[in-house]
Every structure is written in structure tokens, then in C-alpha cells.
Amino acid sequence: MTVNYKTYFDSLKEQHLDELKELLTIPSISALSVHKPDIAKAASWIADALTRAGLEHVKIHQTEGHPIIYADHLHAPGQPTVLIYGHYDVQPVDPLNLWDTPPFEPSIRDGKLYARGATDDKGQMFLHIKAIEAILKEEGTLPVNVKFVIEGEEEISSPHLPGFLDQHQEELSTDVILISDTSLFEKGRPAISTGLRGLCSLEVSVHTANTDLHSGTFGGGVPNALHAIVSLLASLHDDQGRIAVEGFYKGVPDLTQEMHEEFEKQQFNEESLRQDLSLDSLYGEEGYSFVERTGARPTLELNGVYGGFQGEGSKTVIPKEAHAKITCRLVGHQDPQDMLDKIEAHLCAHLQAGAKLEVKQMERANAFIIDPSNPYLQKAADAYETVYGTRALFTKDGGSIPIVETFTRVLSAPVVMMGFGLPDENLHAPNEHFNLENFDLGLLTIVEYLKSL
């Protein structure tokens, strides 16, 4: 039986968008405990949507954190099993004043759906539910066996999902893991990520005197916490943009000529990016292009630096403390714990006299890499070509999805990252949105991929 899925999805587009908008109104912010009831509401909404779509054994698994939802449809003997992963939690919305419309009041403008979670990851995860629903309604059965695992803690590094995977290894056994939480390379040019950077993070505090001091009475004679932390943070990079922490590049693979050529195939326009961001120039480690710096090289970034008086006007004070938040993106075989220990040792060695240091080590996640010649990835590239008219590029992404490496290691299955977002859709930022062109094409691509297996 030949089904025209484009006609099917076109006829139900408004209904599907109304359903997605309903999900997007739920402020399921996993990082903020005040939203725990909203997390539970979103989990229940997803479970109901999976049930309505025709999935079986739908269950909300409670954890010590936020719930994990499981569902399956296992009626294709002899065919591959596909485990589909997504997440229903979202990032905080600050700063609220930079949103053009309220983050949890979805609105469509210029062919884009605006709301927190529209592209990361409620919108993309929703595509899989509707694609499965379409095949079941139109054909009565699925061409493959399907399992869903949808969690509510991805935005806080999935602290409870690894334990869930370990405990349910047999139940979750699969031939391939399918994830839509990444982006096309650019409009009309699909991409499949074959690498994600790992992650580690830390908070740094510098303390000096036991109280803030008057800068006239004490200035020039006592240590200043802001001076100390600025000096300390400046020591983390050299003048060529390299990270100056001893041993930081241990485990980082050299980029071969062949790898340089693969990045060049992306034909990334650095000048266009510079203009779009209103920058005088791009910046980074010397000797590498933008896509190499962001896809295949490690980083150490300051995410926040604060201390002292920050109100309106002037206050002549010498602050007693100052703070910084740091994240590193890791590649190759860099060990997150080893990197954290090396950074802490560097900070201790470069601390200004008279200052005391406090370091809080936080997130840790390994980098992920997969061979693009894997048949499941090749079929995904074919599915994109059928729907988009151009075959997917195999890329390496600068971001981190910590659970991807865990999935492939624990379940011993390849991960296919079939994303439908765009790089400029403001994920994690105000005015997050999802281009509805890729909503339409994404549904068709997922159907095409599942049927091709």
C-alpha cells in the first residue's frame, strides 16, 4: 500500500500545531525546583500523547529527580528495533525582557513557532510521536519495532538517566538509537552529527578580607578580590587563544589533512557569520577555522564573572569576594575529571597573594564520536536526500548532549542524530523558535527513514 504522507500531514497540520502549542505552554524548567509540578504535568502530557498515537506499555517511571517516560510498539518480528530518545524539559527563560512574546505563550510569526522548547526539544521530539502515529493510522502497523525513552532532565545533564539505562538494559535493547536534538547545517542543507564535544564545568570563588572595604582608606594596601579573579582568569589562555592549563590537551586528537578537507567541504562562510553577529572579527585558537574550532577543538569559556558593586552609579568599595562560572567543551579522549583537576591545580598555582580560592567541580560528560560509514547513518542521509533533495552532510557539533555517549556505551548501539532545527533558532536564548518548514519536512523524513530500515 502506497500512502501519500505529505497529504496526510498537510491535512492535519493545524491540529498537530495546536497540540504542540499545548505542550509548549507547560513551563517544564528542570533546573528550577519551583517548576517540579510543571515537569510532572509535561510528563503526563507526553504519556497521553504516546498512548493516543498507538504506542503500548506506556509508563511514567519516577526517579529521584524528574520522570522518565517509556513506550513501545514491538510487532515487527525480524525487523530492526529503533529506540527514540527525546526530552521534555526546557531551559530557564531569563532574561525575560528580551522575549518579543512570552516564552510559554506559543505564537507563529513569519513561518516560525516561537516558544521556549519549540526547537529544543519539545518540537523535534513531537515529530517522532506524530510520525509513528501517522504510520499506524495509515498502515496499521510499523515497519520496525519502536521504543521511546523521553526524559525530563536533559537540560541539567541527565543525572538519573544513566542509572535508568543500566537498570533497564534488557528492556531497552535496540539496534539503533534515534535522536532529534540537533540542527541542519543551514536552511535546506541537512546534517548528521558524527561527533559531540564532552563537557566539564566548575564554579570559582576568590575571597580576600572578611568584609568589603572603603577604597579610599584601604585602596592600594589590601588585596582586591576582583583584581585577583581577573588576573586568575586571564592566566587560563595564552595570546594565541590556546588554553594555558598544563596537560589540558592530553587526549586531543590532531586534525589530519583529511579531516581539514572534510571541514572545508562544509563551505562555511565565516565573513557572513561575523557580519550577522556584528563583530569586528572572529576569535579563537590560531591555526584553525571556525568550524574546526567549534567542532573538533576543546574550549575553556567564562560563562559568568561577578563581584563587588553592580548597581547604578558609583560605590567606592574594595570587594571581599568575586566569582566565576567556567565550562569546557572536550574532544577525543579528554577525561572530564582529569580536566577539572588540572584546571583546579592551575588556579591554585596562579592565585594572587593575599587571596583564598574555592573551587566547586560540577558537570562531567565524555565526548561522543561515530563512524559515518555506519549503515544506519547512511540510511539516514538517504532519507534526508529523498525529502530535502540534498544528501545530509556528516558534521561534528560543538555542543554537548551528555547522554548520547552513555546511550551508545550502555546499549551497545549506534546513535543517529537526525536533527531538524536550524543553528539560528535561539535555543537556550530569548525568542527560541522552530521553522515550520522543517516541522513539515521533519515528519516526512522520519517516516521515510523508519520505512527504509
Side-chain angles (χ1 to χ4, degrees), residues 86-255:
H87 66 92
Y88 61 86
D89 64 320
V90 299
Q91 282 276 323
V93 297
D94 313 77
L96 193 58
N97 64 298
L98 295 183
W99 287 80
D100 294 333
T101 50
F104 297 109
E105 295 179 18
S107 62
I108 294 176
R109 304 190 299 276
D110 302 321
K112 302 170 183 176
L113 175 59
Y114 285 82
R116 174 58 91 225
T119 189
D120 181 23
D121 176 50
K122 288 178 178 177
Q124 297 201 58
M125 175 265 296
F126 181 78
L127 295 178
H128 289 277
I129 298 175
K130 290 301 161 187
I132 296 294
E133 180 181 81
I135 299 173
L136 285 173
K137 282 187 174 180
E138 293 298 289
E139 303 188 39
T141 187
L142 297 178
V144 293
N145 301 292
V146 168
K147 300 176 181 180
F148 275 87
V149 170
I150 303 175
E151 68 156 327
E153 296 184 327
E154 194 276 341
E155 300 293 3
I156 53 173
S157 299
S158 306
H160 296 98
L161 189 53
F164 179 82
L165 297 181
D166 284 332
Q167 293 165 18
H168 298 269
Q169 241 177 300
E170 187 173 341
E171 181 184 7
L172 299 176
S173 63
T174 185
D175 294 292
V176 61
I177 299 148
L178 181 58
I179 300 175
S180 294
D181 196 11
T182 51
S183 299
L184 307 183
F185 184 70
E186 60 185 20
K187 180 179 169 64
R189 295 182 71 194
I192 297 170
S193 176
T194 61
L196 294 167
R197 292 193 288 190
L199 176 73
C200 66
S201 67
L202 61 157
E203 293 184 356
V204 178
S205 298
V206 169
H207 302 271
T208 49
N210 59 6
T211 183
D212 287 355
L213 298 167
H214 189 290
S215 67
T217 306
F218 293 92
V222 297
N224 180 316
L226 278 173
H227 291 185
I229 203 165
V230 168
S231 171
L232 190 59
L233 299 177
S235 74
L236 291 168
H237 292 85
D238 66 18
D239 293 339
Q240 287 73 48
R242 283 179 60 86
I243 297 154
V245 175
E246 185 177 352
F248 187 85
Y249 289 92
K250 180 183 177 183
V252 176
D254 292 330
L255 282 186

Side-chain angles (χ1 to χ4, degrees), residues 252-379:
V252 176
D254 292 330
L255 282 186
T256 64
Q257 183 58 36
E258 188 176 53
M259 294 169 72
H260 281 296
E261 290 170 0
E262 280 298 310
F263 279 108
E264 287 174 4
K265 288 179 184 177
Q266 297 180 21
Q267 299 177 326
F268 186 81
N269 190 329
E270 294 192 5
E271 177 58 20
S272 177
L273 175 67
R274 184 194 68 76
Q275 292 179 11
D276 289 345
L277 297 178
S278 301
L279 291 169
D280 292 331
S281 66
L282 300 182
Y283 173 81
E285 187 181 2
E286 287 187 6
Y288 298 93
S289 67
F290 174 83
V291 288
E292 290 169 345
R293 289 169 181 165
T294 57
R297 299 296 293 170
T299 67
L300 187 156
E301 297 285 356
L302 307 181
N303 307 123
V305 179
Y306 52 101
F309 177 66
Q310 299 175 53
E312 185 178 356
S314 173
K315 182 182 181 184
T316 53
V317 64
I318 297 173
K320 69 169 186 171
E321 62 184 60
H323 311 272
K325 295 178 183 287
I326 299 172
T327 54
C328 300
R329 302 291 177 166
L330 309 176
V331 300
H333 299 290
Q334 284 181 296
D335 178 76
Q337 184 60 59
D338 185 42
M339 294 304 106
L340 287 171
D341 292 341
K342 283 181 165 67
I343 294 166
E344 184 167 349
H346 175 98
L347 294 171
C348 291
H350 290 78
L351 185 64
Q352 201 175 83
K356 296 178 286 291
L357 180 68
E358 180 184 342
V359 176
K360 180 182 179 183
Q361 297 187 4
M362 299 175 66
E363 299 161 292
R364 301 162 183 82
N366 293 319
F368 163 79
I369 192 165
I370 189 170
D371 186 345
S373 68
N374 183 284
Y376 285 105
L377 273 72
Q378 289 295 319
K379 281 191 174 290

